[in-house]
Amino acid sequence: MKVRIISGVVGGILAILILILHKTFVFPLAIAALICIALFELFRAGKCLHCRISIGAGFLYGAALPFLQYYGNTSATIALTFLCIVAMFAEMVLLHKHITYQNTLFIAAITLLVSHSLSMLNTSQFGLASVILALSSAWIADTGAYFAGTFLGKHKLCPEISPKKTVEGFFGGIVTDVVVMVIFALIYSLIAHAHVHYLWLIFIGIVCAVISVLGDLSASVLKRQQGIKDFGNIMPGHGGVMDRFDSVLFTVPAFYALEMMYPVFFG
C-alpha cells in the first residue's frame, strides 16, 4: 500500500507539471510518450511483438499524431493514417506465414483507438478545464466505485470478468463522478468567471462514469484471456500505463463528443 501511495503521488505531481506546461511542446511530447508506452503494453499483451513493421508503424503513428493534432495539420494526419495502415497490411501479405490477420487487425485497431483517444487531450481546442474533467471523469468514477464497493458492495456486477466489481460500486462511481465534476466546475467558474451548464455537465458525468466501466472491463477481458495480471510495471503498485488509462481511452472521446455538441463552459 505504501508503494502504491508513493507511486500515485509521484504520478500526480508529474501530471500537474505537464498540465502547467499545456501550452508548450512538452504537452504533446508527454502525450506521445504516453501513447507509445500504452501501445507497447497492448502489443505485448496481444502477443504481436513479432509484427515488427506493423508495430513500428503503430509507434510512428502514436508519436506523431499528438503533434499533428496540436498544430492542427489535418492533411498530414489523413496521409499518415493511410500510410501506416497500408504498411500494416503489406506486412501481413508479405509475411503471411508468420503474421495472421488477427495480429494485423488488433494492431491497427489498438493504434487508432489509443492514439486518437489520448490525442484528443489537445488543450488548444477545448481548454485546460475540459482536459482535467475529461481525464478525471474516469479516475473519479473508478475511485468512487472502489470505496462504494468496499463498504457497500453485495451484488457482483461481472463476476466472471472482474470479481471485485459490484453493482453498488457501479452506482457509487456514477454519484462520485457527478458530485466531484460539479464541485470542480463550480470552483473553476468562480476563479475564471465562466458560466457552467450544470445539467449538461451532470449528464456528461453520468455518461462518462458508465462508459468508463466498459473500458475497464474491456481491459480486464484482454488480460484474463491472455493470462496476465497487469499490462506492465512502470508504476509500482499500479501496474502499467494501460492499467491506469484503460477507462480514459473510452471516457475522453465520449466527453469531447458531448462537449462539441454543447460546451460545458461558456462566457
Side-chain angles (χ1 to χ4, degrees), residues 67-234:
F67 290 95
L68 296 176
Q69 297 279 13
Y70 189 77
Y71 294 108
N73 198 326
T74 305
S75 299
T77 300
I78 295 172
L80 181 64
T81 303
F82 176 74
L83 291 174
C84 287
I85 295 297
V86 166
M88 292 175 185
F89 279 88
E91 183 184 36
M92 181 185 71
V93 172
L94 294 173
L95 302 176
H96 59 276
K97 292 183 179 180
H98 307 286
I99 296 175
T100 66
Y101 72 89
Q102 290 97 332
N103 294 144
T104 301
L105 293 177
F106 178 81
I107 293 172
I110 289 301
T111 297
L112 293 174
L113 172 64
V114 174
S115 300
H116 280 277
S117 291
L118 295 182
S119 291
M120 286 181 183
L121 294 171
N122 173 18
T123 60
S124 63
Q125 185 175 359
F126 297 102
L128 184 58
S130 292
V131 170
I132 294 173
L133 283 175
L135 278 172
S136 60
S137 60
W139 294 330
I140 291 171
D142 184 59
T143 302
Y146 173 78
F147 284 105
T150 299
F151 294 104
L152 303 173
K154 294 181 179 179
H155 304 88
K156 299 296 183 182
L157 183 65
C158 296
E160 294 184 357
I161 298 175
S162 185
K164 294 183 179 180
K165 289 192 180 301
T166 63
V167 174
E168 292 79 6
F170 172 72
F171 286 105
I174 294 175
V175 173
T176 305
D177 208 29
V178 169
V179 170
V180 174
M181 289 176 72
V182 168
I183 292 174
F184 172 84
L186 177 61
I187 295 173
Y188 176 78
S189 68
L190 295 174
I191 296 174
H193 304 291
H195 298 284
V196 183
H197 291 291
Y198 285 104
L199 289 178
W200 186 241
L201 179 62
I202 291 171
F203 175 74
I204 291 177
I206 294 172
V207 172
C208 287
V210 172
I211 204 168
S212 71
V213 177
L214 175 62
D216 196 347
L217 292 176
S218 298
S220 296
V221 169
L222 176 58
K223 288 189 287 187
R224 185 171 291 275
Q225 290 181 349
Q226 296 301 93
I228 58 176
K229 183 178 183 296
D230 295 317
F231 283 107
N233 55 7
I234 194 172

